Amino acid sequence: MLYGRLDARRAETARRLHGVLHDETVGTPQALTEREVAAAMYSDRLATLRAAENGLAFGRLDTDDGERRYIGRLGLLDEDNDYEPLLMDWRAPAAQPFYTATAASPEGIRRRRHLRTKRREVVAIDDEVLDIAAAGATEQASGLTSEAALLAAVGASRTGRMADIVATIQGEQDRIIRSKPSGVLVVQGGPGTGKTAVALHRAAYLLYTHRDRLARRGVLVIGPNPTFLRYIGQVLPSLGETSVVLGTVGQLHPNLDARRVEPVAVAEVKGRADMSSVIAAAVRDRQQVPRRPIRLVVEQQEVRLDRDLVNSARTRARRSRKPHNQAKRIFQKEAVRLLADQVARGLGGRGLLDAGDLGDIREELTESRELTRELDLLWPTLSAEQLLSDLFSDASRLNSVARRLPAGDRELLRRPAFVAGSDAGEYWSPADVPLLDEAAELLGDDGSEQAAREAAALREEVSYAQGVLDVLDLEEDLDPELLRAGDVVDADRLAERQAVRRYESTADRAAADREWTYGHVIVDEAQELSPMAWRLVMRRCPSRSMTVVGDIAQTGDLAGASSWNDVLGPYVANRWRLEQLTVNYRTPSEIADIADDVLAVIEPGLTAPRSVRGTGVPPRAVGVAAGELDDAVAKVVAEEAGAVGDGRTVVLAPSARIAELRERLVTERVVDGGPAPDVDLEAPVVVLPITAAKGLEFDAVVLVEPAEVLAESPRGANDLYVALTRATQRLAVVHAKPLPAMLHRLGG
């Protein structure tokens, strides 16, 4: 955030030590105009002002030498007092003891004060005296810092939005957040350990500490689904960072938000690493040779495209190792050269023709529309969407290029072709996007598609600009002697000026460019990514500067990970490092005990994260007759929602029951009757399939028919574990079928 210019050496020293001034223009790509830079700066300034409304300061450090350091979400200087630091950015090195100092290792800190605020009002102050000799204090048995503030935060009612944890970051979290950006860092942690919050704060920290490098390339955060992205959407802006691209795998293909829901078995096939070979074979399959010679007449000379000639041109093009659409030019050029030699032989041989004559023949062949049409059929220009649509809709072509897949799997891939003009987002699924990316990588762009998109965009902007000018010129009270808008600028020029502002930041540019490579990539719920999705992610970050966040025990996707080494080995071998989060801040011990039994079935011997609190409210099981399930769910949901007051309650159920349950709860007015696809996490009660609840948390969870959850997927136990660990306060399980044995601790 650019507040001004500092010339004093003392002010510069303060900036470096306390992190109170950001120059957002450092590292900005040269292509950004002054207007774009200004827009980005104003955007960040607005984010800062919004953050200030929620209180910037949250702590104070009293050092052994009498210094007081106030800690906040952003850094501020006193411009009227020689730029003395007023507030220290939490990411600055001098702020680190706020998170890491303990009584055993005070790091020069005598006392840590934690300020709890509600908007701009201080509602509580918690002090920790770290000088044992002076205060007679003892090391906390829990090992937590700012324990009172932490427990108050995790015990507060949920709002439907993730809040930042900047005021309550713990030592093990801080170490991960501040670790070096190079290489692949895997953050493994069970439910409630703060993996997502740590990942987002790491993004903010890296942008602060390495802004000169990351501002050029940007940071990409990949989440499991759009609901999750909405849930975390306010965290980074609250920390003053707005230059991060957030997206799901289904949103990583430009101008596409893949939303189609498909069977898990189909997604599993599409996620296999073998699909890369299928896509490569599909591209090669479109580089054809004629079955029979093709005879053409060019400038009164007959030419013949036969298998040998076309095969020679195709081989030359393939040996270039260029993407398909770029290699097409080599194919066409070589085919024309061979045909020119063929014409020369028909005229008596090359010896009778000089270089100029051969050049004239090649030019005539190049300009022949008939020849160009035939060559286009043999080596067509393709888009990734066209390639996959043609492949999946043609059984014979699919059987030809995917012979390595079992026949049943090939049948799962079959689907109708895409109809031009229909909604692409409804046609393509998230599992298709890695395949589209693979195809786009192999096909390349010959420039025509990009030119067509830019031309269409320009036409749209010209039309809009003309409408604006027409409205301005319709003003009846304008003095005819004065210049009108149309006299100063025409629609074309106005559209061009508008186009300059199309991208307001590096993040905007990156999101629109499939070939953009990021300075750092953060993958949340990374255990759910398929091998094909990992190929896409790795292409986005060739430097392999990545933070991978997840929990293998929660893997629910059939194409997901069973070990981090299997995921990362093909790309970085053993050159990745693992950090473990061991403390469960979210799940009360009463619920965690039940979830731990499920974890023991999923991964025997795995140590569950340690829960740091209890609520005194045991989970309950409500058994009912089969025909009374929906009535019982409605009753239990009303009870749980009443118990948590202003908090949030979620109903988690097998996918097959979601629509019926939601309709019933809407009828009972327990759930808002808005459109189901756009789940409002800020509503008091929501209904979700378990796959959509990953990474989310609620005050109360009502889980429906756990036996069906187990039966719904080969990884049903993983889904059950996820469902049990979403609650911060209360858990109720409603069932008509017998409870699985792993839930034997549940009481009625």
Side-chain angles (χ1 to χ4, degrees):
M1 193 63 57
L2 186 61
Y3 295 108
R5 175 177 150 188
L6 304 182
D7 293 325
R9 180 173 298 177
R10 181 178 180 184
E12 174 65 14
T13 301
R15 183 187 70 82
R16 291 178 182 274
L17 286 177
H18 300 281
V20 293
L21 186 65
H22 293 185
D23 183 354
E24 293 289 346
T25 64
V26 172
T28 302
Q30 292 297 321
L32 287 178
T33 66
E34 292 182 6
R35 185 172 295 175
E36 288 175 320
V37 171
M41 290 170 59
Y42 281 123
S43 175
D44 283 343
R45 180 61 174 170
L46 181 60
T48 302
L49 295 175
R50 286 173 175 165
E53 286 297 319
N54 295 319
L56 287 179
F58 55 79
R60 190 183 88 187
L61 292 176
D62 296 348
T63 68
D64 290 339
D65 57 8
E67 180 188 2
R68 287 184 174 179
R69 306 175 192 168
Y70 285 91
I71 315 298
R73 289 173 172 81
L74 297 169
L76 295 175
L77 293 173
D78 184 355
E79 297 183 6
D80 296 328
N81 189 22
D82 200 17
Y83 295 101
E84 284 290 333
L86 291 174
L87 191 64
M88 184 185 305
D89 193 297
W90 67 275
R91 296 165 288 190
Q96 189 169 5
F98 187 79
Y99 305 108
T100 58
T102 64
S105 178
E107 302 181 32
I109 304 301
R110 181 173 56 82
R111 179 172 59 183
R112 173 171 43 222
R113 170 166 290 181
H114 199 101
L115 307 173
R116 284 149 57 190
T117 62
K118 186 174 183 180
R119 297 186 68 83
R120 295 191 176 190
E121 179 183 356
V122 177
V123 296
I125 297 176
D126 301 308
D127 279 351
E128 291 177 276
V129 178
L130 303 181
D131 187 342
I132 297 177
T138 59
E139 179 74 2
Q140 296 181 61
S142 68
L144 304 176
T145 60
S146 305
E147 183 172 2
L150 171 65
L151 295 180
V154 297
S157 295
R158 305 299 98 178
T159 65
R161 297 282 185 179
M162 176 179 276
D164 65 61
I165 63 166
V166 63
T168 57
I169 292 172
Q170 298 301 295
E172 68 173 7
Q173 297 173 326
D174 184 78
R175 183 180 67 255
I176 295 170
I177 289 169
R178 296 177 190 266
S179 62
K180 62 182 181 180
S182 59
V184 178
L185 171 65
V186 176
V187 182
Q188 163 78 31
T193 55
K195 299 183 299 297
T196 297
V198 166
L200 295 175
H201 287 69
R202 177 162 167 76
Y205 173 79
L206 292 177
L207 280 166
Y208 171 89
T209 309
H210 305 280
R211 188 170 299 274
D212 57 338
R213 177 168 64 84
L214 294 182
R216 293 184 176 90
R217 305 308 313 172
V219 173
L220 171 65
V221 176
I222 301 174
N225 53 60
T227 302
F228 175 85
L229 293 182
R230 290 196 295 272
Y231 176 65
I232 69 171
Q234 296 304 311
V235 174
L236 286 167
S238 74
L239 300 173
E241 297 294 349
T242 59
S243 58
V244 177
V245 177
L246 277 72
T248 66
V249 169
Q251 296 168 337
L252 293 184
H253 196 72
N255 304 312
L256 176 64
D257 183 3
R259 304 183 301 277
R260 188 172 68 86
V261 179
E262 61 187 357
V264 293
V266 178
E268 189 272 329
V269 173
K270 291 180 178 180
R272 294 179 195 167
D274 287 345
M275 286 302 297
S276 62
S277 299
V278 172
I279 301 301
V283 173
R284 292 174 68 88
D285 182 62
R286 303 302 291 268
Q287 301 164 359
Q288 301 178 0
V289 295
R291 295 181 178 180
R292 295 182 297 274
I294 301 171
R295 299 181 183 275
L296 300 170
V297 177
V298 179
E299 294 295 328
Q300 302 180 351
Q301 295 293 325
E302 182 180 279
V303 295
R304 188 180 67 173
L305 282 170
D306 57 25
R307 291 182 63 87
D308 289 342
L309 185 147
V310 174
N311 191 55
S312 295
R314 183 175 69 172
T315 300
R316 178 70 177 272
R318 285 177 172 177
R319 285 177 177 171
S320 72
R321 299 189 178 277
K322 291 181 179 295
H324 170 90
N325 288 331
Q326 296 172 21
K328 176 179 180 176
R329 302 170 190 172
I330 299 173
F331 168 75
Q332 292 177 323
K333 185 176 180 179
E334 181 66 8
V336 166
R337 186 187 70 79
L338 294 173
L339 287 173
D341 288 347
Q342 187 184 110
V343 171
R345 289 194 298 272
L347 295 175
R350 292 178 59 113
L352 299 177
L353 302 175
D354 59 22
D357 295 329
L358 286 172
D360 291 340
I361 295 173
R362 287 194 291 269
E363 184 175 349
E364 290 170 356
L365 290 168
T366 301
E367 293 176 352
S368 169
R369 293 183 179 179
E370 293 78 11
L371 177 59
T372 299
R373 183 180 64 250
E374 295 296 340
L375 293 177
D376 281 341
L377 291 173
L378 294 171
W379 192 298
T381 300
L382 296 168
S383 67
E385 292 82 355
Q386 181 184 352
L387 179 80
L388 288 189
S389 177
D390 292 348
L391 175 63
F392 293 155
S393 63
D394 188 330
S396 61
R397 177 171 282 155
L398 187 57
N399 288 332
S400 174
V401 304
R403 289 190 295 269
R404 297 174 63 179
L405 295 180
D409 291 345
R410 295 199 296 270
E411 187 60 31
L412 288 175
L413 295 175
R414 288 283 312 281
R415 60 191 295 187
F418 177 70
V419 178
S422 59
D423 185 352
E426 292 295 333
Y427 180 81
W428 300 107
S429 73
D432 287 321
V433 170
L435 305 184
L436 289 169
D437 194 74
E438 189 80 20
E441 191 75 9
L442 296 173
L443 292 172
D445 185 5
D446 67 349
S448 58
E449 293 180 26
Q450 180 66 22
R453 286 194 296 268
E454 290 180 355
L458 183 59
R459 286 195 299 272
E460 182 178 346
E461 290 188 4
V462 168
S463 176
Y464 179 80
Q466 186 60 59
V468 172
L469 293 176
D470 290 344
V471 170
L472 293 175
D473 286 345
L474 284 175
E475 294 286 346
E476 296 180 356
D477 57 348
L478 284 178
D479 187 334
E481 299 298 324
L482 296 177
L483 287 174
R484 293 173 176 263
D487 298 327
V488 178
V489 63
D490 59 19
D492 290 343
R493 180 63 60 84
L494 183 58
E496 289 176 2
R497 291 181 178 178
Q498 182 65 26
V500 169
R501 298 193 296 272
R502 190 174 299 154
Y503 303 121
E504 293 187 348
S505 69
T506 301
D508 292 333
R509 289 176 176 270
D513 185 354
R514 191 198 69 83
E515 296 183 350
W516 189 275
T517 58
Y518 292 86
H520 193 81
V521 171
I522 292 174
V523 187
D524 203 350
E525 299 294 340
Q527 75 277 355
E528 302 300 330
L529 266 62
S530 69
M532 287 302 298
W534 279 109
R535 289 175 65 87
L536 179 156
V537 171
M538 292 298 176
R539 277 194 285 270
R540 297 296 187 274
C541 191
S543 69
R544 304 294 188 258
S545 175
M546 303 175 67
T547 303
V548 175
V549 180
D551 180 16
I552 295 297
Q554 296 186 63
T555 303
D557 196 300
L558 294 183
S562 57
S563 82
W564 295 121
N565 195 58
D566 290 346
V567 166
L568 300 172
Y571 304 101
V572 295
N574 60 355
R575 298 185 304 277
W576 55 276
R577 59 195 193 276
L578 176 68
E579 291 281 1
Q580 293 271 3
L581 290 171
T582 60
V583 180
N584 184 341
Y585 304 101
R586 174 201 303 147
T587 313
S589 57
E590 296 88 349
I591 300 175
D593 290 341
I594 293 170
D596 290 349
D597 290 339
V598 178
L599 178 62
V601 174
I602 298 171
E603 195 71 40
L606 186 66
T607 302
R610 174 174 58 91
S611 182
V612 298
R613 66 189 181 97
T615 60
V617 180
R620 59 175 175 143
V622 180
V624 298
E628 301 173 357
L629 185 68
D630 290 354
D631 289 338
V633 170
K635 179 181 178 182
V636 171
V637 170
E639 291 171 352
E640 295 298 322
V644 298
D646 293 335
R648 301 295 180 268
T649 300
V650 65
V651 181
L652 299 178
S655 299
R657 289 188 176 271
I658 291 296
E660 180 181 345
L661 274 174
R662 189 177 190 283
E663 183 177 354
R664 176 57 184 272
L665 293 174
V666 168
T667 301
E668 296 283 337
R669 301 199 175 193
V670 177
V671 172
D672 178 68
D678 297 323
V679 177
D680 181 8
L681 293 177
E682 297 184 60
V685 180
V686 296
V687 182
L688 291 174
I690 296 171
T691 53
K694 289 191 174 180
L696 309 182
E697 60 184 22
F698 302 87
D699 296 276
V701 170
V702 178
L703 173 61
V704 180
E705 284 295 18
E708 291 183 10
V709 173
L710 287 178
E712 191 172 43
S713 165
R715 288 181 167 169
N718 302 65
D719 291 337
L720 182 58
Y721 182 59
V722 170
L724 292 171
T725 54
R726 298 306 96 194
T728 65
Q729 302 292 337
R730 303 172 64 88
L731 170 67
V733 178
V734 184
H735 64 100
K737 298 179 180 179
L739 286 175
M742 62 184 75
L743 299 182
H744 65 276
R745 294 203 210 192
L746 268 175

